[in-house]
Amino acid sequence: MEEKDLFDRALENLKVRRQRILDGKINCIPLSFPRLRAYLPGIEKRRYNIITANQKVGKSKLADYILVYEPFFYAIEHPDQLRLKILYFTLEMGKEEKFYDFLCHLLYRLDRIRIGPTDLKSTSADKPVPQEILDLIDSERYQKYIRKFKETVTYIDSERNPTGINKYCRNFALSRGKFHFKKVIVKNELGLEEEKEIIDYYEPDDKDEYVLVILDNYSNLMQESGMNKMQTIEKMSKYFITQRDQFNFNITAIQHQAQAQEGIENQKLNKMMPSSDGLADCKTTTRDVNLILGLYNPFKYGLKDYEGYDITKFRNNIRFMQVIEDRDNGAAGQVCPLFFDGAVSVFNELPLPTDKDGITKCLNYIENNIRKPINLVFMGIHIRKARVRKARMWLQKIKRVITFAAL
């Protein structure tokens, strides 16, 4: 009876999913990279993923882009298709820093204003953030996005060990749904049969809501009592399997590559692309997941060309995302070349290397917008920061002259 109930629900789910497509709804949040989307359609419910890379390549920014920003804006643009909630366990960066990253992305997304968190925070004494930017952020046009973002994304830094993270996620799920139970016959310690009530399945209050859970990152987990780092990660991974299967969460953990992967021998053999074998601290997580994505930066290792792209021209603005493992779609081995702008947390699928016009346009954009001083645009007027400072100096001189003349 148990299996029949399970399979009945599975068959019904196939019919429901087909009808959703016919009704103009979605069964996954579409991936933002068009060519790769042919192999990897998007972010589905009931999936557990890992994003991995060597140090300082952009793992967190990739997670932010494909799992936070793109789904967030898709939900705003398609409110009839997607209702979204994101639980982001940020163990590496503070919640305030994550919010600054979002503001930089928002400024770029809405007005193509390119400013990084360092300048947004007026870090340099000679580069205070322009008042126009703060006025934009305070405007109702921006505030409506900020309010929605705060409703959608919850950054959590209070729970840092597997038990605490698991408890937080379960409490969240039970606040937005309920368990259905069933009775089964089991044998007790004395070998006697007795009736016991167990969990059958979980039913969310809103079946169309997507819940994305992000953990950044495994290495920064606080160790469980009596466990080392590897055992702690293993425990967290097993919790994630249960959350995926019980609550239909989409879960993504960020996991470093081992530092040995960047050793001299690997560099000589050109074996720097992330791999399952290279996962740091705990390699067994690869057995648990549905999908592993690796991010690679050939510029970091001095390569002049890679996958047909001239790295000497792109320099630090190119990344390659590889599908390392894929249990569900058969996309393992696919490589997606990406334009990367870390200041505003943007990844865009690059034109194929044979598309000379497309490559030239991308390189021109990099040269004119990233490698030159930042141009800020307000109401169609380009304001170069250096000119603003020069104008302020002239105004101060004029004021001094006027003051002197008045005396």
Side-chain angles (χ1 to χ4, degrees), residues 51-291:
I51 293 176
T52 185
N54 291 314
Q55 296 184 59
K56 310 304 179 188
V57 171
K59 299 181 293 297
S60 298
K61 288 187 179 291
L62 179 65
D64 288 346
Y65 183 74
I66 64 176
L67 296 167
V68 180
Y69 303 151
E70 287 295 290
F72 170 72
F73 284 102
Y74 189 91
I76 288 178
E77 294 161 5
H78 305 86
D80 56 326
Q81 292 187 0
L82 176 62
R83 290 185 289 281
L84 179 68
K85 185 63 181 177
I86 300 171
L87 305 180
Y88 200 126
F89 293 90
T90 176
L91 308 185
E92 186 168 79
M93 290 177 63
K95 294 188 287 186
E96 188 174 327
E97 297 301 317
K98 299 298 291 186
F99 184 60
Y100 290 147
D101 280 351
F102 167 68
L103 291 179
C104 292
H105 184 81
L106 185 64
L107 285 161
Y108 182 81
R109 184 106 182 194
L110 297 187
D111 289 305
R112 288 297 183 263
I113 295 172
R114 186 178 175 276
I115 183 170
T118 298
D119 289 339
L120 183 67
K121 294 185 294 182
S122 301
T123 305
S124 299
D126 63 339
K127 293 172 66 177
V129 61
Q131 183 61 44
E132 293 90 343
I133 286 184
L134 298 182
D135 291 342
L136 268 180
I137 293 173
D138 282 337
S139 69
E140 178 56 27
R141 176 164 163 260
Y142 274 71
Q143 284 298 313
K144 68 178 182 181
Y145 285 95
I146 292 170
R147 287 193 297 268
K148 185 64 176 178
F149 188 81
K150 290 191 287 186
E151 292 173 7
T152 304
V153 184
T154 302
Y155 289 117
I156 306 135
D157 59 7
S158 56
E159 306 297 340
R160 308 185 71 86
N161 69 323
T163 298
I165 292 170
N166 181 59
K167 185 177 180 180
Y168 188 104
C169 292
R170 288 182 68 84
N171 288 341
F172 174 86
L174 293 175
S175 72
R176 305 169 89 85
K178 62 182 179 181
F179 280 129
H180 288 267
F181 297 88
K182 63 181 178 180
K183 293 180 180 180
V184 296
I185 302 299
V186 298
K187 288 186 178 181
N188 60 22
E189 294 177 354
L190 300 176
L192 301 175
E193 289 186 346
E194 63 180 25
E195 190 174 71
K196 183 179 180 181
E197 191 173 64
I198 64 171
I199 295 172
D200 188 10
Y201 64 96
Y202 168 81
E203 182 182 12
D205 296 335
D206 183 354
K207 294 182 180 180
D208 289 334
E209 182 179 63
Y210 278 67
V211 178
L212 311 186
V213 177
I214 303 168
L215 174 66
D216 185 11
N217 59 59
Y218 266 151
S219 294
N220 287 347
L221 280 170
M222 185 180 294
Q223 291 176 202
E224 294 274 78
S225 178
M227 293 186 176
N228 59 28
K229 182 174 285 190
M230 184 184 75
Q231 293 167 333
T232 297
I233 294 172
E234 283 182 335
K235 185 172 185 177
M236 187 73 260
S237 189
K238 300 309 178 189
Y239 277 145
F240 278 156
I241 291 174
T242 302
Q243 292 175 22
R244 174 197 66 190
D245 295 343
Q246 275 191 347
F247 305 127
N248 288 335
F249 288 171
N250 181 290
I251 298 164
T252 300
I254 296 174
Q255 187 169 0
H256 291 300
Q257 289 282 288
Q259 288 187 333
Q261 290 296 108
E262 298 187 81
I264 299 299
E265 287 303 314
N266 277 9
Q267 291 190 41
K268 287 180 179 178
L269 297 171
N270 196 23
K271 295 175 62 176
M272 303 305 298
M273 181 65 102
S275 66
S276 299
D277 291 339
L279 291 171
D281 301 316
C282 180
K283 301 183 189 303
T284 58
T285 52
T286 189
R287 303 171 189 166
D288 300 335
V289 300
N290 298 81
L291 176 73

